[in-house]
Amino acid sequence: PTQSAAMAVLRVLLVLAAPLLSLTDQAPGWPTGSVTHRFFSTATGQLHYVLGGDFDSGAYPLLLLHGHPRSTVEWKYLVEGLKGRHPFVAVDYFGMGLSEDYKGVNSSDAYCTIEAYADHLLEILEREDVKEFVAVGSLK
């Protein structure tokens, strides 16, 4: 798919994502050594994201989009249940999990839109050389 088509899909998912999992309150965090934590710098702060699984396995990577106000830890039990069958990228939204809050901008600024966030997600996926993915979202 083209980048604009991917952005359109991400926008829809960010707005209308189906609630799939809400176990965050029971999940203390990612087990040590089970995932790789990385940060992505933007004009408004750093986004934290988590990588897991084998990206060379041939399985479609999952882009895991947590609910609000949650964090990437929301996906801990789902990822454990996959037992490595799918690699994944999970990103903490600004101000949640280990991501920084917006720096020096008003939340109504253009930097704080769904489109801007979709751009950041696509940049992270490009950085990690993820060309195709399945997006999974949660509202809880």
Side-chain angles (χ1 to χ4, degrees), residues 121-133:
L121 291 174
L122 290 172
E123 290 172 38
I124 289 170
L125 293 169
E126 184 177 318
R127 175 184 181 182
E128 298 301 334
D129 199 32
V130 175
K131 295 180 178 23
E132 297 181 316
F133 58 90

mmCIF file with all atom_site columns, all heavy atoms in Angstrom, residues 121-133:
data_model
loop_
_atom_site.group_PDB
_atom_site.id
_atom_site.type_symbol
_atom_site.label_atom_id
_atom_site.label_alt_id
_atom_site.label_comp_id
_atom_site.label_asym_id
_atom_site.label_entity_id
_atom_site.label_seq_id
_atom_site.pdbx_PDB_ins_code
_atom_site.Cartn_x
_atom_site.Cartn_y
_atom_site.Cartn_z
_atom_site.occupancy
_atom_site.B_iso_or_equiv
_atom_site.pdbx_formal_charge
_atom_site.auth_seq_id
_atom_site.auth_comp_id
_atom_site.auth_asym_id
_atom_site.auth_atom_id
_atom_site.pdbx_PDB_model_num
ATOM 1   N N   . LEU A 1 121 ? 4.004  7.083  13.691 1.00 0.00 ? 121 LEU A N   1
ATOM 2   C CA  . LEU A 1 121 ? 3.949  5.618  13.625 1.00 0.00 ? 121 LEU A CA  1
ATOM 3   C C   . LEU A 1 121 ? 4.601  5.103  12.350 1.00 0.00 ? 121 LEU A C   1
ATOM 4   O O   . LEU A 1 121 ? 5.379  4.140  12.370 1.00 0.00 ? 121 LEU A O   1
ATOM 5   C CB  . LEU A 1 121 ? 2.501  5.128  13.701 1.00 0.00 ? 121 LEU A CB  1
ATOM 6   C CG  . LEU A 1 121 ? 1.792  5.312  15.036 1.00 0.00 ? 121 LEU A CG  1
ATOM 7   C CD1 . LEU A 1 121 ? 0.329  4.908  14.908 1.00 0.00 ? 121 LEU A CD1 1
ATOM 8   C CD2 . LEU A 1 121 ? 2.477  4.530  16.142 1.00 0.00 ? 121 LEU A CD2 1
ATOM 9   N N   . LEU A 1 122 ? 4.291  5.734  11.234 1.00 0.00 ? 122 LEU A N   1
ATOM 10  C CA  . LEU A 1 122 ? 4.877  5.309  9.967  1.00 0.00 ? 122 LEU A CA  1
ATOM 11  C C   . LEU A 1 122 ? 6.390  5.508  9.953  1.00 0.00 ? 122 LEU A C   1
ATOM 12  O O   . LEU A 1 122 ? 7.131  4.675  9.411  1.00 0.00 ? 122 LEU A O   1
ATOM 13  C CB  . LEU A 1 122 ? 4.219  6.043  8.802  1.00 0.00 ? 122 LEU A CB  1
ATOM 14  C CG  . LEU A 1 122 ? 2.769  5.636  8.529  1.00 0.00 ? 122 LEU A CG  1
ATOM 15  C CD1 . LEU A 1 122 ? 2.140  6.556  7.495  1.00 0.00 ? 122 LEU A CD1 1
ATOM 16  C CD2 . LEU A 1 122 ? 2.679  4.176  8.082  1.00 0.00 ? 122 LEU A CD2 1
ATOM 17  N N   . GLU A 1 123 ? 6.871  6.591  10.577 1.00 0.00 ? 123 GLU A N   1
ATOM 18  C CA  . GLU A 1 123 ? 8.309  6.824  10.659 1.00 0.00 ? 123 GLU A CA  1
ATOM 19  C C   . GLU A 1 123 ? 8.988  5.755  11.510 1.00 0.00 ? 123 GLU A C   1
ATOM 20  O O   . GLU A 1 123 ? 10.072 5.288  11.175 1.00 0.00 ? 123 GLU A O   1
ATOM 21  C CB  . GLU A 1 123 ? 8.586  8.212  11.221 1.00 0.00 ? 123 GLU A CB  1
ATOM 22  C CG  . GLU A 1 123 ? 8.207  9.332  10.263 1.00 0.00 ? 123 GLU A CG  1
ATOM 23  C CD  . GLU A 1 123 ? 8.317  10.703 10.914 1.00 0.00 ? 123 GLU A CD  1
ATOM 24  O OE1 . GLU A 1 123 ? 9.256  10.931 11.710 1.00 0.00 ? 123 GLU A OE1 1
ATOM 25  O OE2 . GLU A 1 123 ? 7.459  11.562 10.634 1.00 0.00 ? 123 GLU A OE2 1
ATOM 26  N N   . ILE A 1 124 ? 8.353  5.357  12.606 1.00 0.00 ? 124 ILE A N   1
ATOM 27  C CA  . ILE A 1 124 ? 8.912  4.288  13.442 1.00 0.00 ? 124 ILE A CA  1
ATOM 28  C C   . ILE A 1 124 ? 8.954  2.979  12.658 1.00 0.00 ? 124 ILE A C   1
ATOM 29  O O   . ILE A 1 124 ? 9.964  2.267  12.665 1.00 0.00 ? 124 ILE A O   1
ATOM 30  C CB  . ILE A 1 124 ? 8.101  4.132  14.746 1.00 0.00 ? 124 ILE A CB  1
ATOM 31  C CG1 . ILE A 1 124 ? 8.361  5.332  15.657 1.00 0.00 ? 124 ILE A CG1 1
ATOM 32  C CG2 . ILE A 1 124 ? 8.433  2.820  15.453 1.00 0.00 ? 124 ILE A CG2 1
ATOM 33  C CD1 . ILE A 1 124 ? 7.437  5.419  16.863 1.00 0.00 ? 124 ILE A CD1 1
ATOM 34  N N   . LEU A 1 125 ? 7.865  2.658  11.960 1.00 0.00 ? 125 LEU A N   1
ATOM 35  C CA  . LEU A 1 125 ? 7.838  1.428  11.161 1.00 0.00 ? 125 LEU A CA  1
ATOM 36  C C   . LEU A 1 125 ? 8.906  1.452  10.079 1.00 0.00 ? 125 LEU A C   1
ATOM 37  O O   . LEU A 1 125 ? 9.588  0.445  9.842  1.00 0.00 ? 125 LEU A O   1
ATOM 38  C CB  . LEU A 1 125 ? 6.450  1.221  10.557 1.00 0.00 ? 125 LEU A CB  1
ATOM 39  C CG  . LEU A 1 125 ? 5.349  0.923  11.563 1.00 0.00 ? 125 LEU A CG  1
ATOM 40  C CD1 . LEU A 1 125 ? 3.979  1.006  10.895 1.00 0.00 ? 125 LEU A CD1 1
ATOM 41  C CD2 . LEU A 1 125 ? 5.547  -0.427 12.227 1.00 0.00 ? 125 LEU A CD2 1
ATOM 42  N N   . GLU A 1 126 ? 9.095  2.599  9.447  1.00 0.00 ? 126 GLU A N   1
ATOM 43  C CA  . GLU A 1 126 ? 10.140 2.725  8.424  1.00 0.00 ? 126 GLU A CA  1
ATOM 44  C C   . GLU A 1 126 ? 11.519 2.552  9.049  1.00 0.00 ? 126 GLU A C   1
ATOM 45  O O   . GLU A 1 126 ? 12.379 1.870  8.500  1.00 0.00 ? 126 GLU A O   1
ATOM 46  C CB  . GLU A 1 126 ? 10.031 4.087  7.746  1.00 0.00 ? 126 GLU A CB  1
ATOM 47  C CG  . GLU A 1 126 ? 11.020 4.277  6.611  1.00 0.00 ? 126 GLU A CG  1
ATOM 48  C CD  . GLU A 1 126 ? 10.835 5.607  5.913  1.00 0.00 ? 126 GLU A CD  1
ATOM 49  O OE1 . GLU A 1 126 ? 9.682  6.008  5.666  1.00 0.00 ? 126 GLU A OE1 1
ATOM 50  O OE2 . GLU A 1 126 ? 11.863 6.255  5.620  1.00 0.00 ? 126 GLU A OE2 1
ATOM 51  N N   . ARG A 1 127 ? 11.726 3.175  10.202 1.00 0.00 ? 127 ARG A N   1
ATOM 52  C CA  . ARG A 1 127 ? 13.008 3.064  10.916 1.00 0.00 ? 127 ARG A CA  1
ATOM 53  C C   . ARG A 1 127 ? 13.344 1.602  11.212 1.00 0.00 ? 127 ARG A C   1
ATOM 54  O O   . ARG A 1 127 ? 14.495 1.194  11.147 1.00 0.00 ? 127 ARG A O   1
ATOM 55  C CB  . ARG A 1 127 ? 12.926 3.864  12.209 1.00 0.00 ? 127 ARG A CB  1
ATOM 56  C CG  . ARG A 1 127 ? 14.117 3.752  13.100 1.00 0.00 ? 127 ARG A CG  1
ATOM 57  C CD  . ARG A 1 127 ? 13.881 4.510  14.380 1.00 0.00 ? 127 ARG A CD  1
ATOM 58  N NE  . ARG A 1 127 ? 15.019 4.449  15.253 1.00 0.00 ? 127 ARG A NE  1
ATOM 59  C CZ  . ARG A 1 127 ? 15.068 4.995  16.439 1.00 0.00 ? 127 ARG A CZ  1
ATOM 60  N NH1 . ARG A 1 127 ? 14.026 5.684  16.894 1.00 0.00 ? 127 ARG A NH1 1
ATOM 61  N NH2 . ARG A 1 127 ? 16.135 4.887  17.191 1.00 0.00 ? 127 ARG A NH2 1
ATOM 62  N N   . GLU A 1 128 ? 12.322 0.815  11.540 1.00 0.00 ? 128 GLU A N   1
ATOM 63  C CA  . GLU A 1 128 ? 12.526 -0.601 11.880 1.00 0.00 ? 128 GLU A CA  1
ATOM 64  C C   . GLU A 1 128 ? 12.394 -1.518 10.652 1.00 0.00 ? 128 GLU A C   1
ATOM 65  O O   . GLU A 1 128 ? 12.380 -2.728 10.784 1.00 0.00 ? 128 GLU A O   1
ATOM 66  C CB  . GLU A 1 128 ? 11.538 -1.022 12.968 1.00 0.00 ? 128 GLU A CB  1
ATOM 67  C CG  . GLU A 1 128 ? 11.701 -0.274 14.271 1.00 0.00 ? 128 GLU A CG  1
ATOM 68  C CD  . GLU A 1 128 ? 13.086 -0.434 14.892 1.00 0.00 ? 128 GLU A CD  1
ATOM 69  O OE1 . GLU A 1 128 ? 13.762 -1.469 14.625 1.00 0.00 ? 128 GLU A OE1 1
ATOM 70  O OE2 . GLU A 1 128 ? 13.504 0.473  15.640 1.00 0.00 ? 128 GLU A OE2 1
ATOM 71  N N   . ASP A 1 129 ? 12.288 -0.908 9.470  1.00 0.00 ? 129 ASP A N   1
ATOM 72  C CA  . ASP A 1 129 ? 12.193 -1.634 8.200  1.00 0.00 ? 129 ASP A CA  1
ATOM 73  C C   . ASP A 1 129 ? 10.980 -2.561 8.141  1.00 0.00 ? 129 ASP A C   1
ATOM 74  O O   . ASP A 1 129 ? 11.032 -3.651 7.593  1.00 0.00 ? 129 ASP A O   1
ATOM 75  C CB  . ASP A 1 129 ? 13.481 -2.412 7.918  1.00 0.00 ? 129 ASP A CB  1
ATOM 76  C CG  . ASP A 1 129 ? 13.615 -2.779 6.453  1.00 0.00 ? 129 ASP A CG  1
ATOM 77  O OD1 . ASP A 1 129 ? 13.134 -2.014 5.594  1.00 0.00 ? 129 ASP A OD1 1
ATOM 78  O OD2 . ASP A 1 129 ? 14.184 -3.854 6.159  1.00 0.00 ? 129 ASP A OD2 1
ATOM 79  N N   . VAL A 1 130 ? 9.875  -2.116 8.726  1.00 0.00 ? 130 VAL A N   1
ATOM 80  C CA  . VAL A 1 130 ? 8.608  -2.852 8.664  1.00 0.00 ? 130 VAL A CA  1
ATOM 81  C C   . VAL A 1 130 ? 7.805  -2.250 7.519  1.00 0.00 ? 130 VAL A C   1
ATOM 82  O O   . VAL A 1 130 ? 7.358  -1.110 7.596  1.00 0.00 ? 130 VAL A O   1
ATOM 83  C CB  . VAL A 1 130 ? 7.826  -2.746 9.995  1.00 0.00 ? 130 VAL A CB  1
ATOM 84  C CG1 . VAL A 1 130 ? 6.466  -3.401 9.873  1.00 0.00 ? 130 VAL A CG1 1
ATOM 85  C CG2 . VAL A 1 130 ? 8.637  -3.353 11.128 1.00 0.00 ? 130 VAL A CG2 1
ATOM 86  N N   . LYS A 1 131 ? 7.648  -3.025 6.447  1.00 0.00 ? 131 LYS A N   1
ATOM 87  C CA  . LYS A 1 131 ? 6.971  -2.519 5.258  1.00 0.00 ? 131 LYS A CA  1
ATOM 88  C C   . LYS A 1 131 ? 5.492  -2.901 5.219  1.00 0.00 ? 131 LYS A C   1
ATOM 89  O O   . LYS A 1 131 ? 4.675  -2.187 4.670  1.00 0.00 ? 131 LYS A O   1
ATOM 90  C CB  . LYS A 1 131 ? 7.676  -3.031 4.015  1.00 0.00 ? 131 LYS A CB  1
ATOM 91  C CG  . LYS A 1 131 ? 9.103  -2.488 3.886  1.00 0.00 ? 131 LYS A CG  1
ATOM 92  C CD  . LYS A 1 131 ? 9.783  -3.009 2.663  1.00 0.00 ? 131 LYS A CD  1
ATOM 93  C CE  . LYS A 1 131 ? 11.172 -2.496 2.436  1.00 0.00 ? 131 LYS A CE  1
ATOM 94  N NZ  . LYS A 1 131 ? 11.952 -2.003 3.493  1.00 0.00 ? 131 LYS A NZ  1
ATOM 95  N N   . GLU A 1 132 ? 5.143  -4.032 5.765  1.00 0.00 ? 132 GLU A N   1
ATOM 96  C CA  . GLU A 1 132 ? 3.760  -4.485 5.835  1.00 0.00 ? 132 GLU A CA  1
ATOM 97  C C   . GLU A 1 132 ? 3.472  -4.874 7.275  1.00 0.00 ? 132 GLU A C   1
ATOM 98  O O   . GLU A 1 132 ? 4.358  -5.355 7.982  1.00 0.00 ? 132 GLU A O   1
ATOM 99  C CB  . GLU A 1 132 ? 3.525  -5.675 4.913  1.00 0.00 ? 132 GLU A CB  1
ATOM 100 C CG  . GLU A 1 132 ? 3.732  -5.349 3.448  1.00 0.00 ? 132 GLU A CG  1
ATOM 101 C CD  . GLU A 1 132 ? 3.471  -6.540 2.557  1.00 0.00 ? 132 GLU A CD  1
ATOM 102 O OE1 . GLU A 1 132 ? 3.922  -7.652 2.888  1.00 0.00 ? 132 GLU A OE1 1
ATOM 103 O OE2 . GLU A 1 132 ? 2.800  -6.355 1.538  1.00 0.00 ? 132 GLU A OE2 1
ATOM 104 N N   . PHE A 1 133 ? 2.226  -4.668 7.710  1.00 0.00 ? 133 PHE A N   1
ATOM 105 C CA  . PHE A 1 133 ? 1.886  -4.964 9.094  1.00 0.00 ? 133 PHE A CA  1
ATOM 106 C C   . PHE A 1 133 ? 0.387  -5.121 9.217  1.00 0.00 ? 133 PHE A C   1
ATOM 107 O O   . PHE A 1 133 ? -0.368 -4.740 8.338  1.00 0.00 ? 133 PHE A O   1
ATOM 108 C CB  . PHE A 1 133 ? 2.379  -3.849 10.027 1.00 0.00 ? 133 PHE A CB  1
ATOM 109 C CG  . PHE A 1 133 ? 1.827  -2.490 9.687  1.00 0.00 ? 133 PHE A CG  1
ATOM 110 C CD1 . PHE A 1 133 ? 0.644  -2.043 10.243 1.00 0.00 ? 133 PHE A CD1 1
ATOM 111 C CD2 . PHE A 1 133 ? 2.495  -1.671 8.792  1.00 0.00 ? 133 PHE A CD2 1
ATOM 112 C CE1 . PHE A 1 133 ? 0.119  -0.798 9.921  1.00 0.00 ? 133 PHE A CE1 1
ATOM 113 C CE2 . PHE A 1 133 ? 1.988  -0.421 8.465  1.00 0.00 ? 133 PHE A CE2 1
ATOM 114 C CZ  . PHE A 1 133 ? 0.797  0.017  9.026  1.00 0.00 ? 133 PHE A CZ  1
#
